[in-house]
Each structure stands twice: as structure tokens, then as C-alpha cells.
Amino acid sequence: MAKTIEQIQEKLDSDSAIVLTADELKTKLNDGEEITLDDVDVVTCGTSGVMSGTTALFHIPVSKPGKFNKAREVYINGIPAYPGPCPNELLGSIDVFLYGTNHSQTIKDYGGGFLLKDLLDGKPVEIKVIDIEGKEFNTIVTLDDLQTARLIGTRMAFKNYNSFTNPESDNQKSIFNAIAMGGPFNEFSFSGCGDINPLANDPKQEIIKKGTKILINGAHGVIIDNGTRSNKQKPNLLLTADIKEMKSYYIGGFKTGMGPEIFDSVAIPIPVLNEEILENLKILNKDIPLPICDIHGRHLPLGTTDYSLWENTDLRPETDLSKCLDCNNCIAENNCPTNAFLKNKEIVEDLCYGCGICTTSCPGQVPIMNLGNVTLDVNGENKTIPVTCRQSDKKRGLEIAEDLKEALLDGSFRL
């Protein structure tokens, strides 16, 4: 029997609703359980990954009123930001847009993702403003000083991703790998959280649409619309939320072969209203195709795999310090996209993204992690390629889906 969102919310209010995370639902399905409409009311789906379409809108106090007419250039910790559209003439404050993919001109390997995490961690940031007359103004602010701090994701939480390998013998730099990818066919990089990913569970967007309430980096947010470049075959989402309500754990910088990018985490509730929605929720990793493309060009397919590559693998590395070769210049530390691997060979748990780069680049194999592999037909022969970089973090995807489940059950998040 079909349900309505109002009926499910009433069940949540009376503590009688059955809420499952996508992972809990998939576990039941993989164990052979039959799931009906009576067995579940809401499924919470989650994903975390590099999301280049992330923008922040800030209102920043710069000086006392009357000091400058209009800002021409703005830099936050050396990262270019874009003033406007309102000039705020003579008010001493400015509106700026900052892209998560912009790179600092003063701090090496530092970009918008690292900046947003620093702000959420309470760290002060340096503001430099050059006005239309060439005068320079400098100040230091924290997140608390910003009247407005809003995240706008222009395209996030894709349903479909590509994965990448290098069929050539060169080392190819790309945003789709944490470091330059070597070849031929000896490294593999992918994104996407598979069968817990929101749009994979609602492919026709029966629920995930304009106005749907969600969690973005731990903050209550909303879907504005489908995102740029979105289409029915490959949808993505335009999202927004208040940065001040976010958790720094769920957002941050991620260094790639082309410089720092930004990762975000998103969770979306899917009320199970009818049989069609339930059937879509029964999708498993093996059912979700993942095209394998040439790292030299994302539209050059070489073959296809699926998200079973998440199964029977590790989400975090372990370390064996006895294997350390005491390199003068620690390769694992240098290559770590989130600065989680330290010189003392420790891994900062809250910074680790489970990408695997430390395990595949450390010559002594101090960090150890099973990342799995894929098989690709290369000139008529099956070639086994090890996974060497993951640009999505299933651990964070699982955790933010669990956060949303708890919020639904305790009433702090309402459908």
C-alpha cells in the first residue's frame, strides 16, 4: 500500500517509523532478506567525494566605513576571490564568491577546500583587498566575523562517474588522480560511493528534486535544482546550506595532480512511498556500471567495471612502522591529498580520506590497505589493474547517512 510523506513524518513523530541507512538496506538484501513496503519507511543515502562545483558566498568586514568605494581584487589566504555583484560602496565590507578549486598564490598546495576547513576549525584567515584606486587593505577574520557564509554547490553528488587508467607510458597529471598517473595500465582511480550514493538509489528523481531537504557537510540544506551539465542519464544536484552549521570533518581540500580540489559530503533521505521507489532502492554495487576511461581524456572509454570494487576492501589504512625506510623526503607524506600522513608516520584519523595514495606510493609499505583491483580487456587479454587512488570516501558517506538517520529519529531533521 502506497504511503505519503505526511504519513511517514507522522510515524517519525510517534517513534514508529522504520529508518534504514542505504548500507543497512543493502546488507539485508545481500543476506537474502525480502524487503517490502512494511519493512522500511525511509532510507538515508550518503556520498562523499571531490566535488569541483563548490562555491562559497561570503560577506566580509574589511575596514571602517568610508575607506574605499569598491573592491577590485580580493584574496583570502592568498586565494583569489571575486567581489560583487553588490559594490557595498563606502561600507567597508564586501560580498565575495570563492571557488573551492581556486589555488592560493602564497601557500603551496592550498586551495578553497583547505580554506573552508580552516574556517570551520576556527582558524583566522588573512584578507587582502585592492580597491579600484589601487589602495590595499588587510585584515584578519574568523568564520564568526562573517555575517554571511553560504555554500552553493553548482554540480554535486553525481549519479554517474567515470574511472581512469593510463594506457600510455607517460606520467599524466589530472584532477582525477591525487598525483600524476603512471602507465601503461598499472594504476586506477575512481569516484563514487556505489550503492549508497543518493542518485543511484533514486535514478528517476522521484524524491530527489527541487526543494528536497538534505544534509551537506553535516548542515541542514536544500536542493535548489539539478546542477549544471545535469541530464536524465547523468543527473547531478545544485545544493546550498549555511557553512557555519557544517562540520569540518565532512569538507576539506584534496590535492590532485593539477593542484588542490575540494571534497564535500551529502546525505539525502528517500521516503519509501511506493513499490517503484522501493525497487529502485534495491540496486546493488554490481548493478551500477562504472566506465573506465583514458586519463588523457575523460570521454575516451576503454571498458566498463562496476562498484563491486568497494566490496571486500579496506576503508582505512593500517601502519607498520617497522617497515619504515627513513626516507629523507617522505613520499607518502608528500603525496597525501589531505595532509593526513605525518612525518612521524602517524595518520591523522579525522583528516584521512581513505584514498590509498599513501599505501601505493610508500616504498617501504608502512601504510597497508587493500584497495582491490579491476580487470580490463587490453588487446584481447585480461589485464588486472590495481586500484591506486579513490577520490570518494565511503566511510564518510556511511557516516553522514547514519547522521541523517539519527536526526530523523530524534526529530531534529524533518521530511
Side-chain angles (χ1 to χ4, degrees):
M1 181 178 178
K3 312 171 192 176
T4 66
I5 291 178
E6 291 75 19
Q7 288 171 335
I8 293 176
Q9 184 60 60
E10 288 177 4
K11 293 183 71 175
L12 286 165
D13 293 339
S14 63
D15 296 327
S16 60
I18 302 172
V19 182
L20 300 175
T21 66
D23 185 60
E24 289 172 331
L25 176 65
K26 312 304 171 166
T27 298
K28 289 177 179 291
L29 294 170
N30 283 319
D31 288 344
E33 290 191 36
E34 292 290 333
I35 305 296
T36 70
L37 283 176
D38 293 330
D39 299 319
V40 60
D41 295 302
V42 185
V43 174
T44 60
C45 302
T47 187
S48 183
V50 174
M51 300 188 188
S52 301
T54 306
T55 299
L57 170 63
F58 295 135
H59 183 76
I60 305 175
V62 177
S63 70
K64 293 181 180 180
K67 295 295 183 180
F68 66 92
N69 279 310
K70 186 177 181 180
R72 186 182 70 202
E73 300 174 44
V74 179
Y75 302 89
I76 309 177
N77 278 0
I79 301 172
Y82 306 101
C86 179
N88 294 324
E89 183 176 337
L90 296 175
L91 293 180
S93 61
I94 53 175
D95 295 339
V96 302
F97 290 96
L98 179 119
Y99 299 160
T101 53
N102 272 11
H103 303 164
S104 176
Q105 298 179 358
T106 58
I107 305 173
K108 183 181 178 182
D109 293 330
Y110 185 86
F114 291 103
L115 172 69
L116 291 176
K117 182 181 268 311
D118 282 347
L119 284 168
L120 284 164
D121 285 335
K123 297 180 180 179
V125 300
E126 297 180 358
I127 308 295
K128 182 173 81 171
V129 173
I130 300 174
D131 73 1
I132 56 175
E133 297 173 340
K135 293 182 293 183
E136 183 175 315
F137 300 83
N138 295 276
T139 190
I140 295 176
V141 302
T142 66
L143 186 59
D144 289 339
D145 297 317
L146 309 182
Q147 181 179 346
T148 297
R150 177 157 289 275
L151 184 141
I152 303 168
T154 60
R155 52 179 180 272
M156 301 175 77
F158 278 75
K159 171 180 174 285
N160 310 77
Y161 291 88
N162 291 334
S163 59
F164 298 91
T165 190
N166 184 357
E168 308 296 335
S169 57
D170 64 343
N171 291 325
Q172 180 64 34
K173 293 182 178 180
S174 169
I175 64 170
F176 300 112
N177 202 55
I179 58 177
M181 179 179 279
F185 297 111
N186 55 18
E187 298 182 31
F188 180 84
S189 173
F190 78 96
S191 299
C193 287
D195 62 14
I196 69 168
N197 193 62
L199 283 169
N201 285 276
D202 185 20
K204 296 181 180 180
Q205 295 190 254
E206 301 290 331
I207 298 296
I208 301 174
K209 60 183 67 174
K210 185 186 300 186
T212 299
K213 294 167 62 178
I214 60 177
L215 286 186
I216 312 174
N217 302 325
H220 289 211
V222 67
I223 297 175
I224 302 172
D225 207 336
N226 276 33
T228 59
R229 298 211 316 260
S230 181
N231 57 57
K232 289 184 178 180
Q233 289 71 41
K234 294 187 174 184
N236 67 79
L237 302 173
L238 175 62
L239 313 175
T240 188
D242 189 340
I243 292 172
K244 293 186 178 184
E245 297 177 0
M246 295 181 179
K247 299 177 181 178
S248 69
Y249 173 71
Y250 284 128
I251 184 173
F254 188 100
K255 292 180 284 188
T256 74
M258 295 297 288
E261 287 270 331
I262 181 170
F263 73 81
D264 298 278
S265 308
V266 177
I268 302 179
I270 299 183
V272 188
L273 305 181
N274 53 50
E275 291 288 352
E276 182 179 4
I277 291 173
L278 179 59
E279 285 305 307
N280 288 332
L281 283 163
K282 292 181 179 180
I283 193 168
L284 300 174
N285 281 325
K286 63 181 177 62
D287 305 318
I288 307 173
L290 179 61
I292 303 173
C293 295
D294 185 339
I295 192 74
H296 296 88
R298 69 179 80 176
H299 303 302
L300 299 175
L302 302 171
T304 303
T305 185
D306 60 59
Y307 280 97
S308 296
L309 49 78
W310 274 118
E311 296 171 11
N312 303 312
T313 59
D314 299 329
L315 297 184
R316 289 294 183 270
E318 296 181 355
T319 55
D320 184 351
L321 300 184
S322 68
K323 293 183 177 181
C324 181
L325 303 178
D326 290 320
C327 302
N328 291 329
N329 191 18
C330 180
I331 299 173
E333 179 192 5
N334 293 339
N335 288 348
C336 178
T338 59
N339 299 325
F341 196 92
L342 305 180
K343 291 180 180 178
N344 62 3
K345 318 304 182 297
E346 291 183 1
I347 297 175
V348 181
E349 184 177 346
D350 281 355
L351 293 180
C352 181
Y353 205 64
C355 69
I357 280 292
C358 63
T359 70
T360 57
S361 60
C362 175
Q365 293 187 314
V366 172
I368 305 166
M369 190 177 185
N370 174 21
L371 293 167
N373 56 66
V374 298
T375 301
L376 179 66
D377 185 325
V378 178
N379 297 323
E381 296 184 9
N382 286 334
K383 173 75 173 178
T384 299
I385 309 173
V387 175
T388 52
C389 178
R390 300 191 295 212
Q391 290 190 299
S392 287
D393 182 11
K394 189 169 184 178
K395 183 174 185 292
R396 278 180 171 83
L398 292 167
E399 289 169 338
I400 197 167
E402 182 66 33
D403 286 354
L404 179 55
K405 173 184 174 179
E406 293 176 3
L408 282 164
L409 292 174
D410 69 22
S412 59
F413 187 103
R414 299 181 62 81
L415 297 174

